[in-house]
Amino acid sequence: MGRYVIRRLLQMIPVFFGTTLLIFLMVNVMGDPIAGLCGDRQCDPATAAQLRTEFGLDKPVWQQYLTYMGNVFTGDFGTAFNGQKVTELMATAFPITIRLTLIAIVFEVVIGITLGVVTGLRRGRPVDTGVLILTLVVISVPTFVTGLLLQLLLGVEWGIIKPSVSPQAPVDELIVPGLVLASVSLAYVTRLTRTSIAENARADYVRTAVAKGLPRRRVVVRHLLRNSLIPVVTFIGTDVGALMGGAIVTERIFNIHGVGYQLYQGILRQNTQTVVGFVTVLVLVFLAANLIVDLLYAVLDPRIRYA
Amino acid sequence: MRGATHARWAACAVAVALAATACGGGDSGGGSGGADGIVSSSWGDPQNPLEPANTNEVQGGKVLDMVFRGLVRYDSKTGEAKNEIAEKIESQDSQNFTITIKDNWTFSNGEKVTAKSFVDAWNYGAALKNNQKNAYFFAYIDGYDQAHPETGKATADTLSGLEVVNDTTFKVKLSQKFSLWPDTLGYAAFVPLPKTFYSDHEAWLAKPVGNGPYTIDEYAKGSSMNLRRWDDYPGPDKAQNGGIDLKVYTDNNTAYTDLTAGNLDLVDDVPASQLKNVAGDLGDRYINTPAGIIQTLAFPFFVKAWDTPDAVKVRQGLSMAINRQQITDQIFQKTRTPASDWTSPVLGAEGGFKKGLCGSPCEYDKAQAKKLIDEGGGIPGGQLKISYNADTGSHKEWVDAVCNSINSVMGNNKACVGSPVGTFADFRNQVSTQKLTGAWRAGWQMDYPLIQNFLQPLYYTNAPSSDGKWSNEEFDALVNKANAETDKATAVSTFQDAEKVLAEQMPVIPLWYQNGSAGYSDRVENVALNVFSVPVYDQIKVK
């Protein structure tokens, strides 16, 4: 187990450098960011040249990358064009997005798995059909429609929530955005759990457990559910990364100043430092989440062992 | 049955959660009303650090407008430059100016505003080493070439044209004659700065200190700024409310939704997609007034085919082929006005705006348009490509409409096509490095309400924002002549003569004047936008 973890951690190093290099090159391909700083007029050449020197943009790309990575390892993610340290932006954005992601994951786990188990055990009954249709609707409606609709209904028409989240983004204000963010994944989790449960319900070990006379609750939770969770855990694990970086739409609709918003603004302003910095951290999150998922397999299914 | 229990439990959790949110929400705007009422307003994260000579966009400009006052101030309704801190600005020859300031002004930290406060601030703004993006504002002052050379190192730290005489007087020597120069001094780059700006720059940036009617109470970078009325403000335009809370919104649609839900008092940028609903949502609490912005189509004069006498006819023909009225009505919902000169209505007739100066070349005439384009040998290259940035400002819609208009005149579906560029920075890069060989969208937001600002920086030979590299001796001569005029009215009419050269040559096609739009809640009144389309915050009254 320990050796497995170390091997996985070592594998992360090339992945980390590869992805950061890719994103660095991609941002660079977009062209010279200084030109966008002066609005519809031309920056005066002397100031533009000086700014390029200051941000290191006059050096070749490989050199910029090396300098950047060197700085990253000393904890310096650079400075955004508005003079704020990128680490400072991260310190405000990440806690908010992590909170939002956690709420979304809780919704996925609690509602998704519960609905999946219920429908999986009652295949073909009205409950099953009803939930299936519901998930189909949720999957086919784009997030921004759900978001704007809920915002309009709950926020403006009925006044149950505030349509926009305050900059501090406390947990209670993030519940509706979290639900919106989770909605599509939630539907997938329901469907995955349902299929998995339905399949395993006919497995030999379940029949054995029932034949042993175990209480139904124990059969479902300990034997059936635990074995059926592997695909669901895989899905949720990768979803953590996707939710954190991909909440751009939800964050914009509900005015959440999180990672998605900072990335969006960074791309609009072609702010290499912000974009590369945030993506680097997201890459780390993805890698960590994947590792945890793989380790969870062994916990859920004792037959899986890592050596 | 167990499963069902789980489902019910989950449903309850959601219900409880929603109820909890309900407890959290509900308190709108907040605060007391009357003279001490606080106004909440939408905001965007300023693109640059909040230094006066480094702020060139409206979000940072809003703050500077509340926290600072300069020598002159533009009247919020007419845009006329009126003395604020300046007692008088005198000159015999339109080149050497003596500026006397009133001696009762202080910064909010108690420091006195003196002639030195101005001279130091201007020297700071002009010096190359400080990377100030508005440094070009000081370009008319003598010595700018040494403090801010176009290439190479600066040979001076200060502008030789500035000289402090005593606490209340300083002298300015310009490098050329410029009679309207005092009228440019209302721009934020010219405000005075306190000593702490230089001595503790980091702390100053974290919480700027100025001499305006508001002081900054709290500033959370990237999310909000709370400004409060400064009770000892010595100026005549004291704030009529207790303060302004600026809130950064990720999206102007969200801000608008917050306004309709009663959580926000003022939105100064009504999203295009909501313009249809604005009458129903806000009624008469919607403002749509001209701003000092003109949108144009620019052409590359570094491409030989566009720099010929025949191409003049083609450009005039293209201009006549665009149905401006229809596009401004249907796509912009009347938040743009068809342009018929190269300035802006905010200048007023006295300031040099002249409706219809362009004449027939700016009027929609299908038959004449086709005739002119054919006479000029057709569109160079057989197709007109209009480049625009696709990331912000929904330019695609109107570019496509302009192209449709031209295509229907030419009877050819491929005569004009839009050519999107991914990001604004990349677009500006292609424009400023002469990479584009077709037309491109151009916009100009005035720096100060003067006709000079709509002409010289854009069309004078090798002017800083002359992206198309158009050059015309007659135009240059008229601009020089106008700048040397000591009488304002004569200067303005000479500028208009220069503008008539534009009508003959059509170096850029004027499209429309942009309006500023804003919406406000029923909690506040007396809301207006100034000529820069920034809300006049200090005049807002809370009911």
Side-chain angles (χ1 to χ4, degrees):
Chain A
M1 183 83 175
R3 277 181 58 191
Y4 175 77
V5 173
I6 290 171
R7 206 169 66 221
R8 282 292 300 269
L9 286 176
L10 286 177
Q11 280 170 2
M12 281 184 189
I13 297 174
V15 175
F16 175 76
F17 280 106
T19 42
T20 45
L21 179 64
L22 260 181
I23 192 74
F24 202 88
L25 291 178
M26 266 151 62
V27 176
N28 252 286
V29 165
M30 296 201 299
D32 181 9
I34 301 294
L37 287 180
C38 300
D40 266 326
R41 69 177 74 235
Q42 219 175 92
C43 287
D44 88 89
T47 310
Q50 179 127 343
L51 283 171
R52 273 189 206 105
T53 318
E54 198 174 298
F55 288 108
L57 295 167
D58 52 345
K59 305 234 168 57
V61 178
W62 64 268
Q63 207 175 335
Q64 287 183 38
Y65 179 69
L66 287 186
T67 326
Y68 181 78
M69 285 320 274
N71 288 340
V72 164
F73 282 108
T74 56
D76 175 14
F77 279 85
T79 312
F81 287 136
N82 68 352
Q84 254 184 304
K85 289 244 173 271
V86 175
T87 40
E88 210 177 288
L89 290 175
M90 287 180 180
T92 53
F94 269 101
I96 294 174
T97 297
I98 289 172
R99 227 174 295 153
L100 182 66
T101 309
L102 281 180
I103 291 172
I105 297 281
V106 167
F107 274 121
E108 280 180 27
V109 171
V110 174
I111 304 183
I113 295 184
T114 319
L115 285 180
V117 172
V118 172
T119 51
L121 292 175
R122 289 176 177 67
R123 265 161 305 142
R125 307 258 186 89
V127 188
D128 183 29
T129 329
V131 171
L132 272 186
I133 292 173
L134 202 70
T135 52
L136 189 68
V137 171
V138 172
I139 291 173
S140 47
V141 177
T143 318
F144 73 89
V145 176
T146 339
L148 287 173
L149 203 68
L150 278 182
Q151 184 184 43
L152 184 71
L153 288 180
L154 298 176
V156 182
E157 296 295 324
W158 301 335
I160 301 174
I161 59 160
K162 272 197 205 176
S164 69
V165 172
S166 58
Q168 296 77 24
V171 172
D172 56 349
E173 290 183 11
L174 288 177
I175 286 171
V176 174
L179 188 62
V180 170
L181 182 61
S183 59
V184 173
S185 303
L186 196 155
Y188 282 122
V189 168
T190 308
R191 292 190 150 212
L192 271 177
T193 318
R194 175 188 175 274
T195 319
S196 196
I197 291 262
E199 239 169 55
N200 289 334
R202 274 177 250 140
D204 290 344
Y205 64 85
V206 175
R207 213 174 337 143
T208 314
V210 176
K212 272 199 294 187
L214 289 181
R216 185 179 159 82
R217 184 193 170 86
R218 200 172 159 78
V219 174
V220 171
V221 175
R222 293 285 300 184
H223 294 263
L224 182 54
L225 185 57
R226 189 164 156 179
N227 280 291
S228 309
L229 274 185
I230 289 187
V232 180
V233 167
T234 315
F235 178 78
I236 293 181
T238 47
D239 210 31
V240 170
L243 289 180
M244 285 193 74
I248 296 184
V249 174
T250 318
E251 292 196 352
R252 283 197 74 196
I253 292 176
F254 289 100
N255 190 39
I256 301 167
H257 299 203
V259 174
Y261 165 64
Q262 293 293 354
L263 270 177
Y264 173 77
Q265 204 163 39
I267 291 169
L268 270 195
R269 294 180 178 176
Q270 240 171 300
N271 212 327
T272 323
Q273 316 273 342
T274 322
V275 178
V276 181
F278 274 83
V279 173
T280 305
V281 176
L282 285 178
V283 166
L284 289 175
V285 172
F286 253 104
L287 292 175
N290 268 314
L291 179 60
I292 293 171
V293 167
D294 284 347
L295 295 178
L296 268 182
Y297 286 168
V299 177
L300 289 170
D301 188 342
R303 285 171 301 183
I304 299 174
R305 271 175 218 287
Y306 297 116
Chain B
M1 285 301 115
R2 295 278 175 192
T5 332
H6 278 283
R8 210 173 299 139
W9 180 84
C12 287
V14 177
V16 169
L18 286 176
T21 328
C23 311
D27 64 317
S28 69
S32 54
D36 291 328
I38 308 291
V39 181
S40 58
S41 172
S42 70
W43 197 32
D45 191 22
Q47 201 174 356
N48 304 300
L50 278 173
E51 298 158 308
N54 205 10
T55 296
N56 55 4
E57 41 77 56
V58 71
Q59 303 301 344
K62 270 183 203 176
V63 176
L64 296 179
D65 192 53
M66 285 189 264
V67 178
F68 281 102
R69 284 293 180 264
L71 289 170
V72 303
R73 183 163 171 74
Y74 302 119
D75 186 278
S76 58
K77 289 200 182 68
T78 62
E80 190 194 341
K82 289 177 178 162
N83 283 353
E84 181 95 356
I85 300 182
E87 181 78 51
K88 51 185 192 277
I89 304 174
E90 293 170 318
S91 174
Q92 305 296 328
D93 57 359
S94 302
Q95 188 164 8
N96 291 288
F97 292 85
T98 306
I99 298 170
T100 316
I101 62 170
K102 294 171 188 155
D103 70 350
N104 62 331
W105 283 76
T106 61
F107 293 99
S108 59
N109 62 4
E111 186 188 327
K112 235 179 136 41
V113 177
T114 64
K116 198 170 178 305
S117 317
F118 284 97
V119 171
D120 286 351
W122 295 7
N123 279 328
Y124 182 91
L128 178 58
K129 61 172 185 213
N130 296 325
N131 287 339
Q132 303 288 296
K133 293 185 193 74
N134 290 339
Y136 65 92
F137 269 94
F138 307 100
Y140 294 103
I141 299 173
D142 201 35
Y144 181 76
D145 292 347
Q146 282 86 52
H148 198 114
E150 264 194 40
T151 50
K153 280 207 153 54
T155 51
D157 279 348
T158 54
L159 296 165
S160 56
L162 295 178
E163 185 199 339
V164 178
V165 177
N166 57 39
D167 261 7
T168 54
T169 317
F170 64 107
K171 283 185 174 166
V172 182
K173 180 172 186 262
L174 303 185
S175 50
Q176 63 176 87
K177 282 184 190 292
F178 185 4
S179 56
L180 299 180
W181 183 75
D183 284 2
T184 69
L185 298 174
Y187 193 75
F190 291 105
V191 299
L193 286 166
K195 290 195 181 94
T196 51
F197 177 84
Y198 316 99
S199 60
D200 195 353
H201 197 64
E202 287 297 310
W204 192 91
L205 281 182
K207 202 172 171 181
V209 172
N211 61 337
Y214 291 98
T215 58
I216 295 170
D217 190 42
E218 232 182 279
Y219 179 22
K221 269 192 187 167
S223 59
S224 66
M225 179 184 272
N226 296 344
L227 297 119
R228 290 296 168 262
R229 181 179 60 209
W230 178 28
D231 285 322
D232 298 329
Y233 173 64
D237 47 349
K238 263 189 188 304
Q240 305 290 309
N241 47 58
I244 309 287
D245 283 354
L246 297 175
K247 296 183 189 173
V248 171
Y249 278 88
T250 50
D251 187 274
N252 55 6
N253 274 297
T254 315
Y256 183 81
T257 310
D258 244 2
L259 174 70
T260 53
N263 291 327
L264 190 69
D265 293 326
L266 176 61
V267 169
D268 66 334
D269 174 21
V270 177
S273 53
Q274 300 284 3
L275 287 173
K276 285 186 190 123
N277 314 329
V278 110
D281 288 344
L282 301 172
D284 58 354
R285 287 179 283 117
Y286 167 63
I287 310 172
N288 180 20
T289 49
I293 305 171
I294 182 167
Q295 310 280 357
T296 57
L297 274 190
F299 293 91
F301 289 90
F302 41 86
V303 174
K304 192 76 200 84
W306 283 108
D307 199 11
T308 63
D310 276 347
V312 173
K313 283 187 180 166
V314 175
R315 289 193 299 272
Q316 283 180 336
L318 288 171
S319 172
M320 293 171 92
I322 301 167
N323 192 344
R324 295 175 176 77
Q325 191 67 49
Q326 195 182 26
I327 295 173
T328 51
D329 282 358
Q330 292 183 359
I331 292 183
F332 293 119
Q333 305 281 330
K334 295 193 196 306
T335 56
R336 308 278 192 281
T337 316
S340 55
D341 79 341
W342 280 263
T343 64
S344 162
V346 297
L347 294 181
E350 256 175 59
F353 168 66
K354 193 167 180 189
K355 194 178 176 180
L357 180 136
C358 175
S360 61
C362 293
E363 278 159 26
Y364 180 55
D365 185 342
K366 277 180 102 162
Q368 188 64 18
K370 177 134 178 45
K371 194 171 151 239
L372 275 171
I373 296 175
D374 287 342
E375 269 175 32
I379 298 168
Q383 188 182 48
L384 180 70
K385 269 192 181 162
I386 303 179
S387 296
Y388 60 93
N389 57 306
D391 55 349
T392 49
S394 43
H395 297 301
K396 183 184 176 350
E397 290 176 355
W398 70 257
V399 170
D400 286 351
V402 164
C403 273
N404 281 339
S405 201
I406 293 172
N407 288 343
S408 85
V409 165
M410 299 300 291
N412 171 5
N413 268 335
K414 296 269 178 264
C416 170
V417 290
S419 162
V421 177
T423 62
F424 178 66
D426 194 20
F427 170 70
R428 282 302 310 165
N429 210 16
Q430 296 192 16
V431 169
S432 57
T433 51
Q434 285 90 46
K435 291 247 170 62
L436 299 174
T437 52
W440 63 87
R441 73 147 198 101
W444 180 256
Q445 171 148 34
M446 66 177 187
D447 301 312
Y448 33 83
L450 279 185
I451 183 171
Q452 180 266 353
N453 191 240
F454 281 94
L455 302 178
Q456 192 169 0
L458 290 161
Y459 312 117
Y460 196 82
T461 301
N462 284 329
S465 290
S466 171
D467 293 325
K469 301 288 167 204
W470 180 72
S471 172
N472 182 294
E473 280 173 21
E474 194 189 349
F475 178 84
D476 291 357
L478 283 165
V479 167
N480 288 341
K481 187 172 164 231
N483 275 332
E485 294 288 356
T486 43
D487 177 50
K488 189 171 171 177
T490 330
V492 165
S493 77
T494 315
F495 274 119
Q496 282 175 337
D497 291 341
E499 212 183 331
K500 281 174 192 142
V501 178
L502 298 182
E504 284 161 21
Q505 294 291 320
M506 197 62 78
V508 308
I509 296 177
L511 293 172
W512 32 76
Y513 314 115
Q514 190 169 324
N515 283 7
S517 63
Y520 54 96
S521 73
D522 48 15
R523 256 188 87 228
V524 295
E525 58 191 354
N526 202 23
V527 183
L529 295 175
N530 69 15
V531 291
F532 299 96
S533 58
V534 170
V536 189
Y537 286 107
D538 50 64
Q539 298 298 315
I540 298 175
K541 288 187 178 125
V542 181
K543 283 180 194 167

